């Protein structure tokens, strides 16, 4: 009893609605498609700790230098890092990947930074990378940055990472807890 | 003759097809899900204006330095900024947030830059951040960069920001008009 | 008494739920919505090649400088580039755009870098830009970075770019082959 017309209607009418409204509505997320918690550990080069250092100041304002953070608030200091990622808060736990990228201090009147980096995994659990970018007002207990993409197991992913400072010692060591919440997951068939 | 059941069938059968071919078609956007216009103001440190400066050169090529833009075309100069955001083009209007991040000049034969930064809001209208990245050929009247993510009120958002130089004074002050057009909006339930 | 029709209903009713909770499932991609292959060419300033150089070291760790890559593994060196894009592997082919942005070396024990840059096109085939970010472990034969957005013909696009080092001469010249695979395409109506 289905005529050709009604068949068309059946098959394609909803596509019309969909294609029209496709991006006029707001995506609603109830829960992440994937969640993970990691720690990473940053030891800044201070002129005397080359062997242990995992990061180094590579840019600084005119009033700064590359072995001591600039004053006040480290404003303008840019740091490149190659930090171990661990599953717990112990610097000496076996690293399961590297956090590699940069951050710089970008506020004159308090400590705040901006991050552009990747988590790089090549182990039995995860192979691939997660790419992050965003603003990190590090005096706040928690703060969110963006997961802007990924590769391998994290192909095309997007989400949020909630950072918290788990520990710090002066301006030479800090440990960040990273709660990764992916809301857009992709699979390459 | 359409029963309620067959109506359901008519409406939802295509979703099967859709979910299979989900990313073989092109998203069509008619209008942004959210639009906003802001201004931000950048005063570059020149060796004598520390108090008023909102940004500083932190990297430069071998032929440059950190108080004067390199010649020609500022190529290679990298600037970290902490700029006030206002709703109009007046530097002295009450700031409604901060534009924090970096830009660097990346063209040898003209003025052009690349931006990685955030808009950071914490007021009654907006709480959260927008993260931007992209190429800014600043001699063009308007140019588009990407909104690559956001947090808080701008959770997971994506879009385009159209920049225009609203004013500049030499290489020490400039004001950008930013027309934010978000095409992907998300709500966390 | 399940008719064929009601069976259909049973099978596809859940898609209704799906469309409401749109992002609890995983996007499946079979093939890119667009693919392109480009080459770009980087000639690093070494103190003597200003005229031909397409890039320059603008940041370096305390033990480095801005005319020679730091040792070991260039760790901490940050480079701003303005590189020609060609359709084949010949540096002297007519450029079809510019690759503009930065990279920095971010691993202490091997050569590895992180990239933030744009492809900028303004020709008969393409107008607009592609924005990239990601981790580039350059000793690997191929490696993937993220396409985090785009403008113009590449409005709102996302995807992956597979990089391979097509040639290099010491630390002054390298040529990257870039296989761009876009999985999220958008059209502004």
């Amino acid at each position: 009893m289905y005529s050709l017309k009604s068949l068309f209607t059946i098959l394609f009418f909803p596509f019309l609605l969909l294609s029209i409204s496709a991006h006029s509505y707001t995506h609603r997320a109830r829960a992440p498609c994937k969640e993970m918690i990691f720690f990473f550990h940053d030891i800044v080069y201070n002129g005397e700790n080359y062997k242990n250092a995992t990061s180094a100041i590579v840019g600084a304002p005119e009033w700064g230098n590359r072995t001591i953070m600039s004053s006040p608030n480290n404003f303008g200091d840019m740091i490149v890092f190659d930090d171990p990622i661990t599953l717990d808060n112990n610097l000496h736990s076996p690293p399961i990947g590297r956090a590699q990228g940069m951050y710089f201090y970008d506020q004159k009147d308090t400590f705040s930074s901006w991050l552009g980096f990747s988590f790089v995994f090549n182990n039995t659990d995860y192979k691939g990378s997660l790419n992050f970018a965003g603003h990190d007002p590090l005096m706040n207990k928690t703060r969110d940055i963006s997961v802007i993409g990924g590769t391998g197991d994290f192909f095309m992913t997007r989400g949020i990472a909630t950072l918290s400072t788990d520990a710090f010692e002066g301006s030479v060591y800090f440990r960040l807890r990273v709660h990764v919440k992916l809301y857009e997951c992709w699979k390459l068939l």
Side-chain angles (χ1 to χ4, degrees), chain A:
Chain A
M1 254 88 78
Y2 290 115
S3 70
L4 202 66
K5 267 191 221 157
S6 65
L7 194 68
F8 258 83
T9 307
I10 288 162
L11 289 175
F12 303 115
F13 175 68
F15 281 103
L16 176 64
L17 297 179
L18 193 78
S19 73
I20 287 170
S21 64
H23 291 277
S24 64
Y25 81 106
T26 293
H27 297 256
R28 280 169 173 74
R30 285 183 191 281
C33 43
K34 187 163 191 63
E35 275 189 273
M36 298 165 289
I37 293 174
F38 301 109
F39 294 81
F40 73 91
H41 308 260
D42 193 64
I43 303 170
V44 186
Y45 175 71
N46 67 359
E48 293 170 0
N49 61 350
Y50 179 83
K51 197 162 170 293
N52 291 327
T54 63
S55 68
I57 303 173
V58 305
E62 189 242 359
W63 61 88
N65 66 55
R66 292 175 291 179
T67 51
I68 303 168
M69 292 289 175
S70 74
S71 182
N73 296 314
N74 308 0
F75 181 71
D77 285 333
M78 186 171 285
I79 291 91
V80 167
F81 61 95
D82 175 18
D83 291 352
I85 302 172
T86 59
L87 288 172
D88 62 19
N89 65 5
N90 187 340
L91 169 61
H92 302 292
S93 293
I96 59 144
R98 308 296 293 179
Q100 296 180 324
M102 64 148 188
Y103 58 89
F104 51 88
Y105 291 91
D106 65 355
Q107 192 158 337
K108 281 181 82 179
D109 63 5
T110 188
F111 291 102
S112 187
S113 69
W114 202 88
L115 300 157
F117 69 103
S118 302
F119 274 5
V120 183
F121 300 103
N122 187 15
N123 57 43
T124 49
D125 287 338
Y126 304 118
K127 287 192 204 316
S129 65
L130 286 165
N131 297 323
F132 302 85
H135 163 252
D136 174 16
L138 51 98
M139 303 305 279
N140 295 3
K141 195 168 158 47
T142 65
R143 52 274 180 188
D144 287 344
I145 61 171
S146 294
V147 179
I148 58 174
T151 66
D153 290 347
F154 304 107
F155 172 72
M156 287 284 288
T157 202
R158 291 183 72 231
I160 291 287
T162 300
L163 309 180
S164 49
T165 306
D166 197 57
F168 68 96
E169 289 167 24
S171 55
V172 168
Y173 175 74
F174 67 79
R175 179 170 67 234
L176 285 188
R177 182 182 184 273
V178 183
H179 185 168
V180 176
K181 287 164 272 191
L182 304 176
Y183 291 95
E184 190 170 329
C185 294
W186 286 67
K187 185 169 237 151
L188 191 55
L189 299 181

